[in-house]
Amino acid sequence: MLKGRIINLNGGTYKVLLEDKSIIFVKARGKLRAEKRFMVNEKSLSKKAVLQSVKNSPKVGDIAYVENDMIDHVELRKNELIRPDIANVDQILLVFAAKEPDFSFYLLDLFLVNILKQNIEPVIVITKIDKLSDSELIKLRNDLTYYDSMGYKIIYVDSLNKVGIEDVANVLADKITVLSGQTGAGKSTLINALISEFNLQTQEISMALGRGKHTTRETNLYEYRNGFIGDTPGFSKLDVLGVNKTELSDLFVEFNDYSCKFKDCNHQINILGCGVHEAVDNGEILKSRYESYLKMYSLILEGEKR
């Protein structure tokens, strides 16, 4: 039986990189669609997300065992994402544009919540810094200092002029890394700068809509520095996946530094004794972070009513 990693899925055909570095194209046995394959960290997922993962066929990133040109089974996953549909990820590069499309703190917070839910390390990459004036770049760096203080690594990149590219390359070594984030932020352009021979297709930003066109239409893994880079479809909308209202505040990690008088406090109302509210009022918690929390909390409540 052959063993390898699935590096692409297209129309039911899996591209598998074998241990000897050869590549084969195979199908999956029908039993895999109904087989119950729970993940190592299933307890960190909502019941709905676990049920989805059980029904899924093999994913890009899976370690697969192939016999007679068919995937017979896959190894137990250490984690998996649903959007993008990929498994066994070490870290996620959250790629956001400084401009075109405009930088969104809410969207960054939304991605961080979803990634932390899966216990995957995020690295924030800010692209297109060449489109900002010096003063605009200084302001953005100052605004993002708060995220740096929370322990998130932030890399500023101008892909076309190779600024910051080596810094990105260093964090990719020996890891399976997914590039995700804001649509139109230049994920494919970033990969081209890292691995020029791939020459991935890129598209111009839709100026009329103020957001990016989707360039990547399927998930791929590319070998790079003894690891893999995952290029995934971009998102124009992202939901709060598998997060309930009780655990949302835990995923805003800085909230945990402040105690509340009320055991079941959801930090929604400014009442005496809510440590989070006091921290926001004192400027210790970034106001936009708290506003992101309120918006996500509202979305979760709407989902529960539905």
Side-chain angles (χ1 to χ4, degrees):
M1 192 172 289
L2 302 173
K3 178 182 177 182
R5 187 179 298 275
I6 298 172
I7 59 174
N8 175 266
L9 168 60
N10 189 355
T13 299
Y14 296 87
K15 184 178 181 180
V16 179
L17 176 67
L18 298 177
E19 291 178 307
D20 65 2
K21 300 301 181 181
S22 62
I23 290 175
I24 57 174
F25 294 86
V26 296
K27 300 284 188 179
R29 296 195 188 281
K31 68 174 186 176
L32 292 178
R33 292 185 179 275
E35 185 180 11
K36 291 188 177 182
R37 293 181 291 102
F38 291 90
M39 297 175 300
V40 173
N41 66 338
E42 66 177 85
K43 290 183 180 179
S44 70
L45 290 176
S46 68
K47 187 174 181 180
K48 180 179 178 182
V50 171
L51 290 174
Q52 284 179 304
S53 73
V54 168
K55 296 176 183 178
N56 281 348
S57 54
K59 293 188 174 192
V60 171
D62 273 334
I63 299 296
Y65 291 84
V66 179
E67 188 174 44
N68 298 325
D69 295 327
M70 300 287 287
I71 296 177
D72 183 78
H73 64 280
V74 299
E75 286 187 0
L76 193 66
R77 296 165 181 160
K78 71 176 183 180
N79 58 46
E80 72 172 286
L81 297 174
I82 297 171
R83 292 172 55 191
D85 207 20
I86 193 169
N88 299 317
V89 176
D90 293 316
Q91 62 185 3
I92 294 184
L93 256 62
L94 279 181
V95 184
F96 278 73
K99 198 172 186 177
E100 297 180 11
D102 291 338
F103 185 85
S104 168
F105 281 95
Y106 171 70
L107 193 57
L108 174 60
D109 293 335
L110 189 53
F111 271 97
L112 286 172
V113 162
N114 280 277
I115 291 169
L116 294 176
K117 171 69 178 179
Q118 305 300 333
N119 296 315
I120 300 174
E121 180 182 356
V123 177
I124 301 169
V125 177
I126 308 300
T127 61
K128 305 185 183 180
I129 60 172
D130 55 303
K131 295 186 178 293
L132 297 181
S133 65
D134 290 344
S135 60
E136 287 174 328
L137 181 55
I138 290 171
K139 183 180 184 306
L140 181 59
R141 282 180 177 271
N142 288 338
D143 290 341
L144 285 168
T145 298
Y146 182 84
Y147 292 82
D148 183 67
S149 69
M150 287 194 292
Y152 298 123
K153 186 174 182 61
I154 305 174
I155 303 173
Y156 295 87
V157 169
D158 171 4
S159 297
L160 297 179
N161 295 305
K162 300 294 183 75
V163 175
I165 293 301
E166 190 59 30
D167 293 331
V168 176
N170 289 335
V171 302
L172 296 175
D174 304 311
K175 305 254 188 192
I176 296 179
T177 306
V178 167
L179 272 69
S180 197
Q182 188 181 28
T183 302
K187 291 182 288 293
S188 293
T189 304
L190 177 60
I191 293 180
N192 284 339
L194 290 162
I195 324 171
S196 57
E197 59 267 28
F198 279 113
N199 193 26
L200 299 178
Q201 178 188 9
T202 58
Q203 296 183 8
E204 294 298 321
I205 298 301
S206 173
M207 299 301 293
L209 295 177
R211 62 177 184 264
K213 296 180 180 180
H214 289 268
T215 300
T216 305
R217 304 198 180 276
E218 60 188 47
T219 300
N220 297 279
L221 283 181
Y222 302 109
E223 285 190 276
Y224 185 74
R225 294 203 178 188
N226 203 36
F228 292 89
I229 299 176
D231 187 30
T232 68
F235 304 120
S236 57
K237 180 182 178 182
L238 186 70
D239 299 317
V240 186
L241 302 176
V243 177
N244 62 51
K245 61 186 179 184
T246 303
E247 64 188 341
L248 179 63
S249 62
D250 291 333
L251 296 171
F252 280 78
V253 293
E254 71 272 37
F255 287 15
N256 299 320
D257 295 332
Y258 302 93
S259 59
C260 288
K261 180 187 294 185
F262 310 98
K263 192 172 183 180
D264 57 349
C265 184
N266 56 29
H267 318 306
Q268 294 294 292
I269 304 172
N270 192 357
I271 53 178
L272 188 65
C274 175
V276 169
H277 260 293
E278 291 174 0
V280 174
D281 291 341
N282 295 335
E284 296 170 37
I285 290 178
L286 194 65
K287 187 177 180 181
S288 65
R289 283 280 289 174
Y290 179 67
E291 290 171 348
S292 292
Y293 167 78
L294 291 179
K295 188 172 181 178
M296 289 182 216
Y297 193 93
S298 177
L299 288 173
I300 291 170
L301 288 182
E302 288 176 13
E304 288 180 355
K305 289 177 182 178
R306 290 196 299 269

Short mmCIF file of all heavy atoms in Angstrom, two decimals, residues 109-138:
data_model
loop_
_atom_site.label_atom_id
_atom_site.label_comp_id
_atom_site.label_asym_id
_atom_site.label_seq_id
_atom_site.Cartn_x
_atom_site.Cartn_y
_atom_site.Cartn_z
N ASP A 109 -10.43 40.32 13.08
CA ASP A 109 -10.89 39.72 14.33
C ASP A 109 -11.72 38.47 14.08
O ASP A 109 -11.62 37.48 14.81
CB ASP A 109 -11.71 40.74 15.13
CG ASP A 109 -10.88 41.90 15.64
OD1 ASP A 109 -9.65 41.71 15.81
OD2 ASP A 109 -11.44 42.99 15.86
N LEU A 110 -12.54 38.51 13.03
CA LEU A 110 -13.39 37.36 12.69
C LEU A 110 -12.54 36.16 12.30
O LEU A 110 -12.79 35.02 12.73
CB LEU A 110 -14.34 37.75 11.57
CG LEU A 110 -15.47 36.78 11.20
CD1 LEU A 110 -16.28 36.39 12.44
CD2 LEU A 110 -16.37 37.41 10.15
N PHE A 111 -11.52 36.39 11.50
CA PHE A 111 -10.61 35.30 11.12
C PHE A 111 -9.87 34.77 12.33
O PHE A 111 -9.70 33.55 12.49
CB PHE A 111 -9.62 35.77 10.06
CG PHE A 111 -10.09 35.60 8.65
CD1 PHE A 111 -10.68 36.65 7.96
CD2 PHE A 111 -9.96 34.39 8.00
CE1 PHE A 111 -11.12 36.50 6.67
CE2 PHE A 111 -10.39 34.22 6.69
CZ PHE A 111 -10.98 35.28 6.02
N LEU A 112 -9.41 35.65 13.21
CA LEU A 112 -8.67 35.21 14.39
C LEU A 112 -9.53 34.32 15.29
O LEU A 112 -9.05 33.30 15.80
CB LEU A 112 -8.17 36.43 15.18
CG LEU A 112 -6.99 37.18 14.57
CD1 LEU A 112 -6.72 38.46 15.34
CD2 LEU A 112 -5.73 36.31 14.53
N VAL A 113 -10.79 34.68 15.46
CA VAL A 113 -11.70 33.87 16.29
C VAL A 113 -11.84 32.47 15.69
O VAL A 113 -11.75 31.46 16.40
CB VAL A 113 -13.07 34.55 16.42
CG1 VAL A 113 -14.14 33.56 16.89
CG2 VAL A 113 -12.99 35.71 17.40
N ASN A 114 -12.05 32.39 14.39
CA ASN A 114 -12.22 31.09 13.74
C ASN A 114 -10.96 30.25 13.81
O ASN A 114 -11.01 29.03 14.01
CB ASN A 114 -12.65 31.29 12.28
CG ASN A 114 -14.12 31.60 12.14
OD1 ASN A 114 -14.96 30.72 12.12
ND2 ASN A 114 -14.45 32.89 12.07
N ILE A 115 -9.80 30.87 13.68
CA ILE A 115 -8.53 30.13 13.71
C ILE A 115 -8.21 29.66 15.12
O ILE A 115 -7.82 28.51 15.33
CB ILE A 115 -7.40 31.02 13.16
CG1 ILE A 115 -7.59 31.23 11.65
CG2 ILE A 115 -6.03 30.38 13.42
CD1 ILE A 115 -6.69 32.30 11.08
N LEU A 116 -8.39 30.54 16.11
CA LEU A 116 -8.10 30.16 17.49
C LEU A 116 -9.04 29.06 17.95
O LEU A 116 -8.66 28.22 18.78
CB LEU A 116 -8.21 31.38 18.40
CG LEU A 116 -7.17 32.48 18.15
CD1 LEU A 116 -7.45 33.68 19.05
CD2 LEU A 116 -5.76 31.96 18.40
N LYS A 117 -10.25 29.03 17.42
CA LYS A 117 -11.20 27.96 17.73
C LYS A 117 -10.62 26.60 17.37
O LYS A 117 -10.87 25.59 18.04
CB LYS A 117 -12.51 28.21 16.98
CG LYS A 117 -13.52 27.07 17.03
CD LYS A 117 -14.09 26.90 18.41
CE LYS A 117 -15.15 25.78 18.41
NZ LYS A 117 -15.71 25.56 19.74
N GLN A 118 -9.84 26.56 16.31
CA GLN A 118 -9.25 25.30 15.83
C GLN A 118 -7.86 25.04 16.41
O GLN A 118 -7.20 24.09 16.01
CB GLN A 118 -9.16 25.33 14.30
CG GLN A 118 -10.46 25.61 13.58
CD GLN A 118 -11.54 24.59 13.87
OE1 GLN A 118 -11.22 23.44 14.18
NE2 GLN A 118 -12.80 24.99 13.80
N ASN A 119 -7.43 25.88 17.35
CA ASN A 119 -6.11 25.71 17.98
C ASN A 119 -4.98 25.72 16.95
O ASN A 119 -4.04 24.93 17.04
CB ASN A 119 -6.06 24.41 18.80
CG ASN A 119 -7.03 24.44 19.96
OD1 ASN A 119 -7.11 25.43 20.68
ND2 ASN A 119 -7.77 23.36 20.14
N ILE A 120 -5.08 26.62 15.99
CA ILE A 120 -4.04 26.77 14.96
C ILE A 120 -3.40 28.15 15.14
O ILE A 120 -4.08 29.14 15.40
CB ILE A 120 -4.62 26.63 13.54
CG1 ILE A 120 -5.26 25.25 13.37
CG2 ILE A 120 -3.54 26.83 12.49
CD1 ILE A 120 -5.99 25.07 12.06
N GLU A 121 -2.08 28.20 14.99
CA GLU A 121 -1.37 29.47 15.19
C GLU A 121 -1.57 30.42 14.02
O GLU A 121 -1.31 30.05 12.87
CB GLU A 121 0.13 29.19 15.38
CG GLU A 121 0.95 30.43 15.61
CD GLU A 121 2.44 30.15 15.74
OE1 GLU A 121 2.81 28.96 15.72
OE2 GLU A 121 3.21 31.11 15.85
N PRO A 122 -1.99 31.66 14.27
CA PRO A 122 -2.11 32.64 13.19
C PRO A 122 -0.86 33.50 13.07
O PRO A 122 -0.21 33.84 14.06
CB PRO A 122 -3.30 33.49 13.63
CG PRO A 122 -3.26 33.45 15.13
CD PRO A 122 -2.61 32.15 15.53
N VAL A 123 -0.52 33.85 11.83
CA VAL A 123 0.52 34.84 11.54
C VAL A 123 -0.13 35.88 10.62
O VAL A 123 -0.70 35.52 9.60
CB VAL A 123 1.74 34.21 10.84
CG1 VAL A 123 2.77 35.28 10.51
CG2 VAL A 123 2.37 33.12 11.71
N ILE A 124 -0.06 37.15 11.00
CA ILE A 124 -0.71 38.21 10.24
C ILE A 124 0.26 38.80 9.23
O ILE A 124 1.36 39.23 9.59
CB ILE A 124 -1.23 39.31 11.18
CG1 ILE A 124 -2.22 38.72 12.19
CG2 ILE A 124 -1.90 40.44 10.38
CD1 ILE A 124 -2.59 39.68 13.31
N VAL A 125 -0.14 38.80 7.95
CA VAL A 125 0.69 39.37 6.88
C VAL A 125 -0.08 40.52 6.23
O VAL A 125 -1.19 40.33 5.73
CB VAL A 125 1.05 38.31 5.82
CG1 VAL A 125 1.85 38.95 4.68
CG2 VAL A 125 1.84 37.16 6.45
N ILE A 126 0.50 41.70 6.26
CA ILE A 126 -0.12 42.89 5.67
C ILE A 126 0.56 43.15 4.33
O ILE A 126 1.75 43.47 4.27
CB ILE A 126 0.03 44.13 6.57
CG1 ILE A 126 -0.46 43.82 7.99
CG2 ILE A 126 -0.73 45.31 5.98
CD1 ILE A 126 -1.91 43.42 8.09
N THR A 127 -0.18 43.01 3.24
CA THR A 127 0.37 43.19 1.89
C THR A 127 0.07 44.58 1.34
O THR A 127 -0.67 45.37 1.95
CB THR A 127 -0.22 42.14 0.93
OG1 THR A 127 -1.66 42.34 0.87
CG2 THR A 127 0.07 40.73 1.41
N LYS A 128 0.65 44.86 0.20
CA LYS A 128 0.40 46.11 -0.55
C LYS A 128 0.76 47.36 0.25
O LYS A 128 0.10 48.40 0.10
CB LYS A 128 -1.05 46.18 -1.03
CG LYS A 128 -1.50 44.98 -1.86
CD LYS A 128 -2.91 45.15 -2.39
CE LYS A 128 -3.37 43.92 -3.14
NZ LYS A 128 -4.74 44.06 -3.68
N ILE A 129 1.78 47.27 1.07
CA ILE A 129 2.17 48.45 1.85
C ILE A 129 2.70 49.56 0.95
O ILE A 129 2.75 50.73 1.35
CB ILE A 129 3.20 48.10 2.94
CG1 ILE A 129 4.48 47.51 2.31
CG2 ILE A 129 2.61 47.14 3.96
CD1 ILE A 129 5.61 47.32 3.33
N ASP A 130 3.08 49.20 -0.29
CA ASP A 130 3.55 50.21 -1.25
C ASP A 130 2.45 51.16 -1.68
O ASP A 130 2.71 52.24 -2.22
CB ASP A 130 4.15 49.53 -2.48
CG ASP A 130 3.17 48.55 -3.12
OD1 ASP A 130 2.71 47.62 -2.41
OD2 ASP A 130 2.87 48.69 -4.33
N LYS A 131 1.19 50.78 -1.43
CA LYS A 131 0.06 51.62 -1.82
C LYS A 131 -0.29 52.67 -0.76
O LYS A 131 -1.19 53.48 -0.95
CB LYS A 131 -1.16 50.75 -2.13
CG LYS A 131 -0.97 49.85 -3.35
CD LYS A 131 -2.22 49.10 -3.71
CE LYS A 131 -2.00 48.25 -4.95
NZ LYS A 131 -1.77 49.06 -6.16
N LEU A 132 0.42 52.63 0.37
CA LEU A 132 0.19 53.61 1.43
C LEU A 132 1.27 54.69 1.41
O LEU A 132 2.42 54.42 1.06
CB LEU A 132 0.21 52.92 2.80
CG LEU A 132 -0.86 51.87 3.10
CD1 LEU A 132 -0.67 51.34 4.52
CD2 LEU A 132 -2.26 52.45 2.93
N SER A 133 0.89 55.88 1.83
CA SER A 133 1.89 56.92 2.06
C SER A 133 2.65 56.58 3.34
O SER A 133 2.23 55.71 4.11
CB SER A 133 1.21 58.29 2.21
OG SER A 133 0.41 58.31 3.38
N ASP A 134 3.76 57.25 3.57
CA ASP A 134 4.55 56.99 4.78
C ASP A 134 3.72 57.20 6.04
O ASP A 134 3.77 56.41 6.98
CB ASP A 134 5.79 57.89 4.82
CG ASP A 134 6.82 57.51 3.77
OD1 ASP A 134 6.72 56.38 3.23
OD2 ASP A 134 7.72 58.32 3.48
N SER A 135 2.94 58.27 6.06
CA SER A 135 2.12 58.57 7.25
C SER A 135 1.02 57.52 7.43
O SER A 135 0.68 57.15 8.57
CB SER A 135 1.51 59.97 7.14
OG SER A 135 0.68 60.07 6.00
N GLU A 136 0.43 57.06 6.32
CA GLU A 136 -0.61 56.04 6.41
C GLU A 136 -0.05 54.73 6.94
O GLU A 136 -0.70 54.03 7.73
CB GLU A 136 -1.25 55.82 5.03
CG GLU A 136 -2.16 56.94 4.56
CD GLU A 136 -2.65 56.74 3.15
OE1 GLU A 136 -1.90 56.14 2.32
OE2 GLU A 136 -3.78 57.18 2.83
N LEU A 137 1.14 54.37 6.49
CA LEU A 137 1.77 53.13 6.95
C LEU A 137 2.11 53.22 8.44
O LEU A 137 1.92 52.25 9.19
CB LEU A 137 3.03 52.83 6.13
CG LEU A 137 3.78 51.54 6.50
CD1 LEU A 137 2.84 50.32 6.43
CD2 LEU A 137 4.98 51.34 5.58
N ILE A 138 2.61 54.37 8.88
CA ILE A 138 2.92 54.56 10.30
C ILE A 138 1.66 54.41 11.13
O ILE A 138 1.66 53.75 12.19
CB ILE A 138 3.57 55.94 10.53
CG1 ILE A 138 4.98 55.96 9.93
CG2 ILE A 138 3.61 56.28 12.02
CD1 ILE A 138 5.61 57.34 9.92
#
